[in-house]
Amino acid sequence: MELKEAKDKFIHTWGTLATQWGINRTMAQIHSLLLLSPKSMNADEIMADLQISRGNVNMNLRDLMDWGLIYKQLLPGERKEYFIAEKDIWKVAKQIAKERRRREIGPLIDAMADLKEGIKPDTAEKEEFLKIVNDISTVTVFADTTLTSLLKADENWLISNFIKVFNR
Amino acid sequence: MELKEAKDKFIHTWGTLATQWGINRTMAQIHSLLLLSPKSMNADEIMADLQISRGNVNMNLRDLMDWGLIYKQLLPGERKEYFIAEKDIWKVAKQIAKERRRREIGPLIDAMADLKEGIKPDTAEKEEFLKIVNDISTVTVFADTTLTSLLKADENWLISNFIKVFNR
DNA sequence: TTGAATTTTCAAAATATTTTGAAAAAAATA
DNA sequence: TATTTTTTTCAAAATATTTTGAAAATTCAA
């Protein structure tokens, strides 16, 4: 397998897998392209490389910046904007986890809180309903708290700690 | 807010959020309907309640069983199949985590392993490429290991352990 | 067995999401 | 300021996913 082939495979795999977990294909492809690129790239280069439209590139570069996975780089003497990916994979993983926590767990916590407030347990049925809402609330808040504290921890502590957990 | 209204809100919220994380809306709605239902339900009841087609109900009940979130219940004297949701929210959370680990992390580990095998580091460029693949491999395997060990742990230990982590 | 009840399948339709590309806006230069 | 380059926007088109519903398969009782 040659390098070009391997890179293409990497980009393709990343793109395909991403769709399975709610990230769109193009965003994942641009991300992997930049991850593998030794130098920063501009919109035209990305368009040419992945054969996609300017609007699509622009949109997804924006999303990737929102996710904190790439940075804009202004090169002196260059009009165009260049983009470079965060190469520290631990940071990448943290960013992804952080963003997914915000998107997936946050709204659930809010929704459960609303329901808890809105219903008073004055019948057996309502009590039963509130039991489930409360259970979900507990688990969700727990997951959120756990993830948050993990994300605050630094890499080395994280690894050593979980080697312990794993060896239990 | 009355009970019916709250239940509808719950089902609707669950369904909407689910789409944000790769689970389809109907599957999430059927799941929450069964989660809130004190008794098991058959396909016709679910169809009537959510106003969806038989095929759709059948398909998603099957998926929910694959996820381990609902069980088939054969009632004596009844021809129809009845379905009941796992009500223990800790088990539900574990099942979801387990399934997502299998779908999201597994294929990534495999893909990285393939790339590592296929490329030999005989040039600087290839070495650089392999560095990234290896980094991703490490983080991914770490996440997988961590999740697996967490899933093996029991609820009480899990909570007490993470209270410690959190208080650090 | 047969036939009625129930479940499953799957092509076509409906819906949702992503992508395009050209026009508008913004930024940089002269 | 006027002009050119670059970025952004967004309605329409393309693509992908979900849903329907009727036919086929299966299951069960007699």
Side-chain angles (χ1 to χ4, degrees), chain B:
Chain B
M1 185 157 41
E2 277 319 295
L3 187 58
K4 178 75 171 63
E5 191 189 342
K7 284 191 177 183
D8 284 351
K9 190 173 171 188
F10 182 99
I11 291 170
H12 180 259
T13 303
W14 200 255
T16 305
L17 289 180
T19 58
Q20 306 216 329
W21 16 291
I23 290 161
N24 96 4
R25 202 169 55 95
T26 307
M27 179 170 149
Q29 286 184 340
I30 295 177
H31 182 224
S32 46
L33 178 63
L34 289 174
L35 206 53
L36 296 182
S37 168
K39 52 181 182 23
S40 57
M41 297 176 78
N42 64 39
D44 289 290
E45 289 166 342
I46 296 169
M47 284 170 66
D49 205 307
L50 299 177
Q51 297 286 340
I52 55 182
S53 74
R54 182 176 303 284
N56 200 2
V57 168
N58 184 271
M59 213 163 188
N60 284 294
L61 283 173
R62 207 138 312 289
D63 286 349
L64 282 166
M65 283 194 288
D66 288 347
W67 277 73
L69 297 176
I70 65 171
Y71 311 112
K72 193 184 280 189
Q73 215 178 37
L74 296 171
L75 297 185
E78 278 277 8
R79 279 288 283 278
K80 290 180 182 168
E81 296 177 331
Y82 282 73
F83 299 89
I84 192 158
E86 171 60 61
K87 297 289 174 77
D88 180 336
I89 300 295
W90 280 95
K91 278 196 197 167
V92 173
K94 270 194 194 178
Q95 275 305 122
I96 292 174
K98 205 185 266 180
E99 192 65 20
R100 293 186 72 174
R101 181 179 74 85
R102 193 177 68 74
R103 291 172 185 231
E104 301 184 10
I105 304 182
L108 195 53
I109 291 178
D110 294 346
M112 292 306 112
D114 279 0
L115 287 172
K116 275 202 274 190
E117 273 196 26
I119 286 276
K120 291 305 153 213
D122 48 18
T123 70
E125 275 180 310
K126 286 188 187 175
E127 234 171 85
E128 204 177 336
F129 175 72
L130 276 175
K131 161 102 173 57
I132 294 172
V133 171
N134 263 305
D135 284 353
I136 293 175
S137 203
T138 304
V139 171
T140 313
V141 169
F142 168 71
D144 188 53
T145 307
T146 304
L147 243 185
T148 303
S149 62
L150 281 178
L151 290 173
K152 276 186 198 146
D154 73 80
E155 175 187 342
N156 290 330
W157 172 78
L158 205 56
I159 293 175
S160 64
N161 193 65
F162 276 98
I163 285 169
K164 279 182 223 146
V165 171
F166 186 56
N167 287 337
R168 242 171 157 269

Side-chain angles (χ1 to χ4, degrees), chain A residues 87-103:
Chain A
K87 297 289 174 76
D88 180 336
I89 300 294
W90 279 95
K91 279 196 196 166
V92 173
K94 269 193 194 178
Q95 275 305 123
I96 293 175
K98 205 185 266 181
E99 192 65 19
R100 293 185 74 175
R101 182 180 72 86
R102 193 176 69 75
R103 292 171 185 233

